[in-house]
Amino acid sequence: MKPLRIALTKGRLEKSTVELFEQIGLDCSCLRDKGRKLILPVGDGELEAVLAKAPDVITYVEHGVCDLGVVGKDTIMEHGSHFFEILDLGFGRCGFALAAPRGVDFYSGYREKTVASKYPNVARRFFESKKMDVRIIRIEGSVELAPLLGLSDGIVDIVETGVTLRENGLEVVERIAEVSARLIVNSASLKLRKREIEALAARLEAAIKGGN
Ligand code: PRP
């Protein structure tokens, strides 16, 4: 049987993913010593890990070239959901928040507000739910710069420790959603390789619960 192919988000979630895999007894020596390789065996031929940027994890799983993926709920909320989300992996905890310069009442006044975000879909849905017309400008990173430079009134962004906001004179106006890493599955794979996928998810779930 060929290995299940799992797309892993490179960077922030990578270390915790490897630790969780090792907790369930999967040999991750190739992942730990990967060099610049992007496709690596995990365990005893059980899994093949593909290292990708978060939105690409979703693309590979949606297209079925990867059976499974590990990706943050933030990316899922922004980039779609043509797959099954089967497990909250419990790590990578942070939240979406609306933030603005400290001491400024974001909601005051009648002028249309401008908000910068790396997550324009999440921002748009948040303001739609409030029936507020807001102009949204997409920024690729370090979104905190936008209000500091006078481009926007606020930002919708990920807040983890809150240090980036604090050190740049911003504060949370409202929390929007809680975020953590999720295990996602291609819908055809879930039918065709149901037993293997469910067994893996059950082992991961037991390790997560045991670790609490
Ligand atoms: C994220 C996020 C904030 C920061 C929040 O950025 O966009 O800037 O982390 O973390 P904190 O609350 O612990 O300070 P990231 O480091 O991923 O880089 P980016 O801004 O370039 O996306």
Side-chain angles (χ1 to χ4, degrees):
M1 182 73 94
K2 64 178 178 157
L4 284 170
R5 197 182 275 161
I6 183 163
L8 306 182
T9 301
K10 284 202 283 191
R12 281 186 179 223
L13 301 181
E14 203 176 319
K15 188 164 169 269
S16 305
T17 308
V18 169
E19 283 168 2
L20 180 61
F21 284 173
E22 287 178 337
Q23 246 180 290
I24 64 165
L26 293 172
D27 176 6
C28 290
S29 47
C30 292
L31 264 182
R32 285 201 177 271
D33 190 22
K34 63 183 191 299
R36 302 288 293 173
K37 273 200 158 180
L38 298 171
I39 303 183
L40 299 130
V42 172
D44 193 14
E46 296 164 84
L47 294 181
E48 183 171 67
V50 172
L51 295 173
K53 288 237 178 199
D56 299 335
V57 167
I58 289 185
T59 302
Y60 293 135
V61 171
E62 280 186 340
H63 283 82
V65 295
C66 290
D67 303 293
L68 298 138
V70 172
V71 67
K73 183 70 178 178
D74 53 331
T75 310
I76 294 174
M77 285 173 69
E78 180 65 20
H79 292 278
S81 52
H82 296 291
F83 48 77
F84 290 105
E85 183 187 313
I86 59 168
L87 190 61
D88 183 343
L89 297 170
F91 54 80
R93 284 192 189 284
C94 52
F96 274 122
L98 168 66
R102 198 178 296 132
V104 173
D105 181 2
F106 178 86
Y107 290 120
S108 72
Y110 294 102
R111 179 181 57 83
E112 187 186 59
K113 299 288 190 299
T114 300
V115 164
S117 187
K118 210 165 94 173
Y119 301 86
N121 293 325
V122 172
R124 184 181 35 77
R125 283 200 304 269
F126 173 67
F127 289 109
E128 273 173 8
S129 77
K130 291 187 160 298
K131 308 229 180 317
M132 262 180 87
D133 280 333
V134 169
R135 189 161 78 105
I136 292 162
I137 298 179
R138 188 191 161 89
I139 294 288
E140 289 298 329
S142 300
V143 182
E144 294 83 0
L145 282 170
L148 300 183
L149 297 175
L151 178 68
S152 72
D153 299 290
I155 61 173
V156 165
D157 198 21
I158 291 294
V159 179
E160 193 178 348
T161 61
V163 172
T164 312
L165 289 182
R166 199 162 61 240
E167 293 197 356
N168 291 288
L170 305 173
E171 66 183 0
V172 169
V173 173
E174 203 170 321
R175 285 188 84 85
I176 296 175
E178 298 314 306
V179 165
S180 58
R182 305 296 160 99
L183 182 66
I184 62 170
V185 188
N186 171 267
S187 29
S189 298
L190 191 56
K191 288 198 191 96
L192 296 170
R193 305 190 67 175
K194 191 175 169 61
R195 275 229 310 269
E196 290 161 88
I197 289 171
E198 285 182 351
L200 175 68
R203 284 163 73 195
L204 292 170
E205 191 174 12
I208 295 160
K209 284 193 176 140
N212 283 342

